[in-house]
Amino acid sequence: MQSSIRQQYNKDFTQDKYQQLVADLNKAAQKPIEFRVAETPVFVPKSLKDKLMNTCESIIDVIVSEDFKAKTDGAIPKNQNVPNENNHTSFLAIDFAVCKNDEGDFVPQLIELQGFPSLFGFQYLLSETYQKHFSIPENYEFLFNGNDRKGYVEALRKLIVGNESIENVILLEIYPEIQKTRVDFDITEGLIGVKAVCLTKIIKEGRQLFYLNDGVKTQIKRIYNRLIFDDLTNFPDLKTDFNLTDDVDVEWIGHPNWFFRISKFTMPFFKNEFIPNCRFLNEYKGIFPENLSDFVLKPLFSFAGSGVIINVKKEDLTSIIDPENYILQEKVKYEPIIETIDGNKVKCEIRMLYIWQKDEPRPILLTNLARLSRGEMIGVRYNKDFDWVGASVCFMEK
């Protein structure tokens, strides 16, 4: 997005440097990474950075309001409500498309948000590896709020581990060894010592949970949760000692209920010039906008792009029997902005990553991630056969 920096980066780029970057990432992960890493980071000018941060703060103003929990109680499916919910989410991820306004300026447009952790470990490594193999301007950074790399790790450790012994804290997933994000689990263990444990390996005794830590039965006191209910539907015959909805003596870091509260369900509550118009489908009462081509339909309780209809027709809307579980969101036009070495341009999505320490009044911006795309949808699964696309990180002007 910064023309002079982009031109210099592309001039210095070589395929050999990129292959070395990927090789270093795979070496650190101990196994080949299963998603594509982009050939370039994203260089974000201060003008766009300020718009991103200010819009995020307006969103947080809504989330910290006294009535937020009451407004979002309907977001949690009754059969997926987990006991012992804490006062606020531990994580906040806010996704923006990078667009252009009528004046030709780069502007963000909110896509969605999650009260759920993202790739905090992998982004730490990815930014470091870009800096190792490519020249990144000194006045551009991937961290915020005065954090350096040591402070970044300490902030994560404070949030996830707290005052517990490291062996009493686990990262919870379902079959973590086969997840595409397992690289993040490995890096997280290297950074703060928390091991990934499969749901099927947890032992429940009364209200207490245990796992085998190198063969030693060890109590679980804190769970860094990376498991979502939606993933469990892929394993209908799964048998476990512990179900997420059990009332047990653990502290959730990333309580599962916040995954639902801060989600697509929350989108209609936000108003800002960089937030597209969004309403629950049932609010239309059968009278829909004439310009449906300017909207996208999203189910509330489906994730990773599943069930999203980009080219909406009236019959798509009238056929839905539970319109309260859908949102109709004004379509965002991604602007191809990042020039590649072949002269083409790719689209960019930026995720701002916050952590929220216990008893703090607001979450704090820690880092970011980016996704580059040539396809109609942004996710890495939709860009498998292209180059200069995939997972990336933003370096933002100080």
Side-chain angles (χ1 to χ4, degrees), residues 292-293 295-297 309-314 316-317 328:
L292 284 177
S293 61
F295 289 81
V296 59
L297 180 69
I309 298 178
I310 293 178
N311 300 308
V312 182
K313 299 180 178 59
K314 186 175 182 180
D316 295 323
L317 308 181
L328 194 61

Side-chain angles (χ1 to χ4, degrees), residues 122-372:
F122 181 70
Q123 292 308 111
Y124 181 95
L125 174 66
L126 181 59
S127 58
E128 187 176 57
T129 312
Y130 275 128
Q131 288 174 321
K132 174 182 176 182
H133 292 286
F134 297 97
S135 178
I136 308 299
E138 289 186 4
N139 63 324
Y140 281 73
E141 58 188 351
F142 84 105
L143 295 171
F144 302 93
N145 290 301
N147 275 304
D148 56 14
R149 289 188 175 274
K150 181 179 178 182
Y152 179 91
V153 174
E154 287 306 311
L156 281 181
R157 180 180 286 110
K158 178 182 176 182
L159 177 66
I160 296 169
V161 180
N163 295 320
E164 294 293 345
S165 298
I166 195 67
E167 64 267 17
N168 299 121
V169 184
I170 66 161
L171 184 157
L172 180 65
E173 244 296 9
I174 181 69
Y175 303 123
E177 68 279 2
I178 66 170
Q179 297 293 333
K180 289 187 177 181
T181 52
R182 66 172 182 262
V183 57
D184 185 66
F185 308 156
D186 294 338
I187 297 166
T188 299
E189 182 177 355
L191 289 175
I192 62 174
V194 175
K195 294 181 178 180
V197 177
C198 181
L199 179 67
T200 63
K201 302 295 184 182
I202 292 180
I203 305 161
K204 180 186 173 188
E205 295 182 0
R207 293 179 53 87
Q208 294 185 333
L209 302 180
F210 301 85
Y211 74 112
L212 295 181
N213 181 21
D214 296 328
V216 178
K217 184 178 173 184
T218 304
Q219 186 176 355
I220 300 167
K221 297 183 180 180
R222 277 187 163 214
I223 294 177
Y224 173 32
N225 185 46
R226 299 295 296 271
L227 176 60
I228 62 175
F229 282 97
D230 202 50
D231 285 344
L232 295 178
T233 61
N234 297 322
F235 307 96
D237 299 323
L238 197 68
K239 302 203 182 299
T240 63
D241 267 8
F242 168 54
N243 297 312
L244 293 187
T245 53
D246 290 344
D247 189 358
V248 291
D249 293 328
V250 298
E251 184 174 3
W252 293 93
I253 310 304
H255 192 286
N257 289 359
W258 287 102
F259 175 79
F260 295 109
R261 289 188 185 277
I262 301 176
S263 64
K264 291 189 287 288
F265 185 94
T266 326
M267 294 282 291
F269 303 149
F270 306 125
K271 307 298 177 187
N272 182 283
E273 64 177 312
F274 302 124
I275 298 177
N277 179 43
C278 181
R279 294 171 64 186
F280 294 106
L281 188 59
N282 64 324
E283 292 180 353
Y284 288 94
K285 301 186 184 303
I287 303 174
F288 305 114
E290 300 250 341
N291 55 333
L292 284 177
S293 61
D294 294 336
F295 289 81
V296 59
L297 180 69
K298 296 181 178 181
L300 292 178
F301 303 112
S302 182
F303 307 96
S306 176
V308 172
I309 298 178
I310 293 178
N311 300 308
V312 182
K313 299 180 178 59
K314 186 175 182 180
E315 51 266 33
D316 295 323
L317 308 181
T318 56
S319 65
I320 292 174
I321 60 175
D322 55 342
E324 70 278 6
N325 291 327
Y326 287 78
I327 56 172
L328 194 61
Q329 181 181 335
E330 189 177 1
K331 193 177 289 185
V332 168
K333 183 182 178 182
Y334 289 77
E335 181 73 19
I337 56 167
I338 298 175
E339 188 173 348
T340 69
I341 57 173
D342 62 9
N344 292 313
K345 292 184 178 181
V346 298
K347 305 169 188 174
C348 176
E349 187 171 290
I350 297 172
R351 176 175 293 177
M352 306 292 273
L353 296 177
Y354 288 75
I355 62 171
W356 198 341
Q357 301 286 4
K358 187 175 182 179
D359 299 327
E360 289 293 322
R362 293 172 75 91
I364 293 177
L365 180 60
L366 191 61
T367 187
N368 74 85
L369 64 76
R371 292 191 180 111
L372 307 187

Side-chain angles (χ1 to χ4, degrees), residues 51-52 54-60 62 94-97 107-113 266-279 329-332:
K51 292 182 179 72
L52 286 163
N54 291 338
T55 306
C56 287
E57 289 304 313
S58 76
I59 289 169
I60 291 169
V62 175
I94 308 178
D95 292 357
F96 294 92
V107 295
Q109 287 289 310
L110 180 67
I111 300 300
E112 61 183 18
L113 70 168
T266 326
M267 294 282 291
F269 303 149
F270 306 125
K271 307 298 177 187
N272 182 283
E273 64 177 312
F274 302 124
I275 298 177
N277 179 43
C278 181
R279 294 171 64 186
Q329 181 181 335
E330 189 177 1
K331 193 177 289 185
V332 168

